[in-house]
């Protein structure tokens, strides 16, 4: 069996996809784009992915802004140890934490009654363990590039530390914050290993749910390619809208 490009395969009947490859399909149909919503509950998977990725992104950005600002602006005992610990978490492959996190969610759920395992909330907390260290490290560097004179001017004008952060520093750090948000969202949106273990049929995400188009007897390749295009639309649209902020955030500090 030969599978062509994603665009052309998603416009072919299944029998044409499984036949000899042709750039221009002999029969053009939009039926695969309609069938993807019925073969598997793609709508539910899409909602789950949006909730998990959006929740982990919002939480990661909020915590990273507060932690990054504190590390950048204040000198406190354990500051260097905290920074080294945050960076050291990036040295280990994520799959190493799969079993510990699985046992942690199950045991905490049994002890407290909170349904963490198999829930969107538990998966969101899991993704935070990966996105948060990178987000903090990146925002620390970005906050360091913002002159401290802005903080001092805000304090002179009567702002407290929190108000100065919200009204002055956060707008100045918007490119870095957007870059962190995009990174956290992409980490959660396309992750497969943890989502396949820590979710069930009710909370399954898109990255895992796309496997439902493969059955014991056949693989609906035309629907797989159509679904891949459908689920990539939110990511591509968001990236295009935030591209200028993302580029500015990733290149911050590259030149003086």
């Amino acid at each position: 069996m030969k599978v062509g490009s994603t665009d052309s395969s998603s416009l072919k009947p299944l029998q044409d996809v499984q036949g000899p490859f042709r750039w221009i399909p002999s029969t053009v149909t939009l039926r695969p784009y309609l069938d993807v919503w019925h073969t598997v509950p793609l709508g539910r998977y899409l909602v789950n992915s949006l909730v998990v990725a959006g929740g982990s992104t919002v939480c990661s950005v909020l915590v990273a802004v507060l932690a990054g600002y504190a590390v950048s602006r204040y000198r406190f005992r354990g500051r260097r140890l905290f920074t080294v610990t945050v960076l050291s978490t990036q040295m280990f492959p994520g799959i190493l934490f799969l079993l510990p996190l699985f046992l942690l969610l199950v045991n905490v759920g049994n002890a407290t009654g909170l349904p963490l395992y198999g829930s969107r909330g538990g998966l969101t907390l899991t993704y935070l363990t990966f996105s948060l260290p990178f987000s903090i490290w990146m925002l620390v560097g970005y906050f360091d590039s913002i002159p401290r004179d802005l903080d001092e001017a805000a304090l002179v004008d009567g702002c407290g530390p929190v108000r100065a952060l919200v009204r002055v520093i956060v707008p100045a750090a918007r490119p870095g914050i957007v870059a962190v948000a995009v990174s956290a969202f992409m980490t959660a949106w396309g992750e497969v290993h943890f989502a396949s273990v820590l979710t069930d049929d009710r909370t399954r995400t898109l990255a895992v749910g796309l496997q439902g188009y493969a059955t014991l007897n056949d693989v609906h390749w035309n629907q797989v390619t159509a679904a891949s295009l459908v689920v990539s639309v939110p990511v591509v649209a968001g990236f295009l809208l935030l591209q200028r902020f993302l580029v500015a955030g990733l290149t911050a500090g590259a030149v003086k």
Side-chain angles (χ1 to χ4, degrees):
M1 180 185 66
K2 296 181 180 180
V3 180
S5 65
T6 299
D7 294 330
S8 61
S9 297
S10 64
L11 297 173
K12 298 178 182 179
L14 182 59
Q15 59 271 20
D16 288 353
V17 177
Q18 295 174 334
F21 170 66
R22 299 176 58 182
W23 283 107
I24 301 177
S26 59
T27 303
V28 178
T29 177
L30 296 178
R31 189 67 191 179
Y33 287 93
L34 301 177
D35 292 338
V36 293
W37 304 98
H38 306 290
T39 304
V40 301
L42 188 64
R44 185 172 70 219
Y45 298 158
L46 179 61
V47 171
N48 290 338
S49 291
L50 289 174
V51 171
V52 171
S56 63
T57 299
V58 171
C59 294
S60 180
V61 169
L62 289 177
V63 176
V65 166
L66 297 176
Y69 181 74
V71 173
S72 174
R73 289 300 194 261
Y74 298 99
R75 298 295 180 266
F76 53 88
R77 181 174 297 179
R79 175 178 177 271
R80 184 178 297 275
L81 177 62
F82 174 78
T83 304
V84 172
T85 302
V86 168
L87 288 176
S88 64
T89 59
Q90 305 301 300
M91 298 170 55
F92 305 98
I95 195 66
L96 184 66
F97 303 100
L98 179 57
L99 181 58
L101 285 172
F102 169 78
L103 296 176
L104 181 64
L105 293 180
V106 171
N107 292 331
V108 171
N110 293 335
T112 62
L114 296 175
L116 294 179
Y117 172 72
S119 68
R120 295 184 296 196
L123 189 61
T124 300
L125 292 176
T126 300
Y127 289 152
L128 279 177
T129 63
F130 304 109
S131 62
L132 196 54
F134 173 78
S135 300
I136 294 175
W137 173 76
M138 187 169 181
L139 285 184
V140 168
Y142 202 93
F143 285 140
D144 286 341
S145 67
I146 299 177
R148 294 177 180 269
D149 295 341
L150 293 179
D151 303 65
E152 297 173 358
L155 294 176
V156 170
D157 289 340
C159 293
V162 176
R163 190 176 181 185
L165 170 63
V166 174
R167 299 288 297 274
V168 178
I169 304 303
V170 168
R174 185 168 53 182
I177 295 175
V178 170
V180 164
V182 171
S183 174
F185 186 87
M186 293 299 297
T187 299
W189 185 263
E191 201 280 326
V192 176
H193 296 293
F194 288 86
S196 61
V197 175
L198 302 180
T199 59
D200 52 25
D201 292 338
R202 180 178 52 87
T203 58
R204 190 165 294 160
T205 59
L206 281 172
V208 181
L210 291 179
Q211 300 175 11
Y213 294 106
T215 64
L216 294 176
N217 300 321
D218 207 346
V219 179
H220 301 282
W221 286 112
N222 55 344
Q223 295 185 38
V224 171
T225 54
S228 299
L229 286 175
V230 170
V231 302
S232 65
V233 169
V235 178
V236 174
F239 179 83
L240 292 177
L241 291 174
L242 302 174
Q243 182 178 13
R244 62 190 183 94
F245 298 108
L246 179 62
V247 173
L250 292 177
T251 58
V255 294
K256 293 289 186 180

